[in-house]
């Protein structure tokens, strides 16, 4: 996954360089067209380079719970006693692991800003509130779910009551 991120960072840097070249070589009336790719691909390059340079794991699953750092909107540490469901699901073109929790309010209370509001909104719309992005992990989505289920059950995990 690091190689893919490095290739994407290189490609984004290429588009940034081309945008800068257009900016410097064009007249001022059309230069604004180059600003969009420079900003957009510049952000992509930064995100991809951060992925390549990162040394800490994105997801840690242990007997107390899991620590999710797979996306900028990840919630961090979640204990198994808070979890009510775990399932792999296709979301658009990629797989994610959706984790339901017994009380969203407990997790929202320890988050700040957009992460907390996004979590509340997902819960209000009936979605499992926690989404673990598995596209950057070496394990398959089903391997992640299996490992999480195993630890959750060993910790006495209980599913949410049926409606």
């Amino acid at each position: 996954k690091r190689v893919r991120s490095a290739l994407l960072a290189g490609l984004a840097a290429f588009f940034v360089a081309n945008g800068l070249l257009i900016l410097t070589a064009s007249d001022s009336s059309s230069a604004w067209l180059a600003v969009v790719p420079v900003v957009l691909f510049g952000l992509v390059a930064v995100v991809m380079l951060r992925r390549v340079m990162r040394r800490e794991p994105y997801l840690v699953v242990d007997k107390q719970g899991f620590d999710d750092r797979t996306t900028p909107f990840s919630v961090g540490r979640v204990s198994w006693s808070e979890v009510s469901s775990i399932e792999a699901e296709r979301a658009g073109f990629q797989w994610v692991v959706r984790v339901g929790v017994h009380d969203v309010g407990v997790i929202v209370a320890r988050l700040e800003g957009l992460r907390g509001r996004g979590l509340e909104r997902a819960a209000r719309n009936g979605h499992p509130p926690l989404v673990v992005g598995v596209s950057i992990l070496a394990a398959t989505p089903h391997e992640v779910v299996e490992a999480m289920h195993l630890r959750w059950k060993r910790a006495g995990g209980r599913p949410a009551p049926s409606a």
Side-chain angles (χ1 to χ4, degrees), residues 134-159:
V134 293
S135 64
I136 61 172
L137 302 176
T140 68
H142 298 290
E143 290 170 337
V144 172
V145 168
E146 189 176 316
M148 291 177 85
H149 260 284
L150 180 68
R151 296 289 186 159
W152 180 47
K153 294 295 182 189
R154 283 185 183 164
R158 57 182 175 79

Side-chain angles (χ1 to χ4, degrees), residues 49-146:
L49 282 174
R50 285 186 66 209
R51 284 185 177 182
V52 170
M53 305 301 277
R54 185 180 175 102
R55 296 291 176 227
E56 306 87 39
Y58 285 101
L59 179 66
V60 175
V61 178
D62 58 31
K63 58 185 172 183
Q64 285 84 32
F66 65 94
D67 191 8
D68 176 23
R69 304 283 179 207
T70 56
T71 72
F73 300 102
S74 297
V75 298
R77 187 76 185 163
V78 178
S79 73
W80 293 128
S81 63
E82 296 173 305
V83 174
S84 64
S85 65
I86 305 168
E87 59 188 27
E89 182 179 294
R90 196 141 181 78
F93 62 92
Q94 67 180 356
W95 282 90
V96 296
V97 172
R98 295 204 184 271
V99 179
V101 294
H102 294 291
D103 186 358
V104 176
V106 171
I107 295 174
V108 168
R110 65 179 179 241
L111 298 177
E112 13 181 271
L114 286 176
R115 291 188 305 164
R117 287 194 299 275
L119 190 63
E120 276 182 311
R121 191 171 302 116
R124 273 197 314 269
N125 292 333
H127 300 294
L130 309 184
V131 178
V132 178
V134 293
S135 64
I136 61 172
L137 302 176
T140 68
H142 298 290
E143 290 170 337
V144 172
V145 168
E146 189 176 316

